[in-house]
Amino acid sequence: MSEIILPFEPKEKETLSSYHSKVWSGLTLTLKGDHLELEFPEEADGLSSAVYGGGMVRLKRAVNLFVNRDYECSDPVRDMENKLGEWGYPLSSCAGLMTAVPLVHAAVAEEDTGSAGIFCCVTAAAGNAARAGVKRNVLAVYRPGTINIMLGIDGRLTPAAMVNAVMTAVEAKAAALADLGITDPENGLVATGTTTDAIVLGVSQNNRYRAEHVYAGTATDLGGAIGRLVYSAVTASLQSVKSRNYNS
């Protein structure tokens, strides 16, 4: 498995502004001031819970926008559209996420399984950690998510396998929170996420690996790698945030 890195974390040496994937040629993650842009080399099959452009769509890019914790969030779709126009991105073929986590805490992990290349980027904090499966207070309006996962898979997946990949990623996120001892402050139980987490998956459907994945659960090479990468990236981003005493 590839090393987990935080490409935009301030360092004594020159800090990167762009990260080029080692497993998916042409895939680029760039820090552009108030947002991260994940740009696919060609349009990819997308599946996401993104506040903007979510669902099953074709994706050319995914953006993760930093907003302050006091962000007035009555219309995040309109706000994202305005930002896309400001940045000069087309409104179509884009998934838009929002986070209150400073983007320098983005963690990146990659792996080539031999039948797919997997890229993972996570921004994570646990200030609004929550436990699924219990009664708790709910939010009437959108709040910027604090664990955002951007996955890119260079390979061929059926629609069912794409859903399976998202399931595996979410399971890995929950496992990372459990192992770090992060709890829901309302009830003291182990957290499974935060109140408004989001995930975006882009799949190339490229045939260069000459394999089509119909499953992506933890018993498969693909799912196993997804789980490892998400678990490690969530852990690394949370630890980076903790080291700087920042809570979201």
Side-chain angles (χ1 to χ4, degrees):
M1 186 170 65
S2 298
E3 178 187 6
I4 311 303
I5 67 167
L6 285 87
F8 311 119
E9 193 174 48
K11 303 176 180 67
E12 291 183 6
K13 296 181 180 180
E14 183 179 1
T15 302
L16 295 177
S17 60
S18 290
Y19 177 85
H20 301 277
S21 172
K22 296 177 175 60
V23 300
W24 185 346
S25 179
L27 183 75
T28 304
L29 179 71
T30 306
L31 177 59
K32 297 184 174 181
D34 62 355
H35 70 286
L36 287 171
E37 180 199 14
L38 179 64
E39 185 174 14
F40 300 98
E42 296 179 350
E43 278 197 358
D45 281 354
L47 175 63
S48 82
S49 62
V51 65
Y52 179 88
M56 299 191 71
V57 295
R58 295 286 288 171
L59 288 178
K60 185 65 173 69
R61 61 179 45 82
V63 296
N64 193 7
L65 168 66
F66 173 77
V67 294
N68 293 322
R69 282 180 285 177
D70 58 357
Y71 163 64
E72 196 287 306
C73 48
S74 59
D75 195 344
V77 174
R78 179 202 61 200
D79 294 342
M80 184 63 74
E81 285 183 346
N82 290 340
K83 279 293 186 179
L84 292 172
E86 176 185 319
W87 300 327
Y89 299 149
L91 296 181
S92 62
S93 303
C94 179
L97 312 176
M98 292 182 175
T99 181
V101 180
L103 301 175
V104 295
H105 299 296
V108 170
E110 299 189 282
E111 185 172 341
D112 189 326
T113 67
S115 62
I118 309 167
F119 170 93
C120 175
C121 174
V122 172
T123 54
N128 59 336
R131 167 89 173 197
V134 296
K135 189 173 182 179
R136 68 183 322 282
N137 290 328
V138 296
L139 299 174
V141 294
Y142 177 80
R143 289 286 185 267
T146 53
I147 300 180
N148 283 345
I149 300 170
M150 296 194 292
L151 276 178
I153 301 178
D154 185 19
R156 292 175 60 205
L157 276 71
T158 64
M162 290 176 63
V163 175
N164 208 178
V166 170
M167 289 173 56
T168 300
V170 173
E171 289 173 5
K173 174 194 70 177
L177 294 176
D179 287 351
L180 290 170
I182 293 172
T183 59
D184 183 332
E186 287 195 11
N187 49 48
L189 297 174
V190 172
T192 55
T194 78
T195 52
T196 48
D197 294 344
I199 185 168
V200 57
L201 168 67
V203 179
S204 72
Q205 303 297 6
N206 191 317
N207 195 36
R208 73 185 182 95
Y209 287 97
R210 302 185 182 278
E212 182 180 54
H213 296 273
V214 296
Y215 305 109
T218 49
T220 66
D221 288 343
L222 178 64
I226 290 169
R228 290 190 296 273
L229 295 176
V230 172
Y231 180 97
S232 297
V234 168
T235 300
S237 185
L238 285 169
Q239 289 176 337
S240 175
V241 166
K242 184 178 180 180
S243 71
R244 292 178 179 269
N245 297 314
Y246 179 88
N247 291 304
S248 170

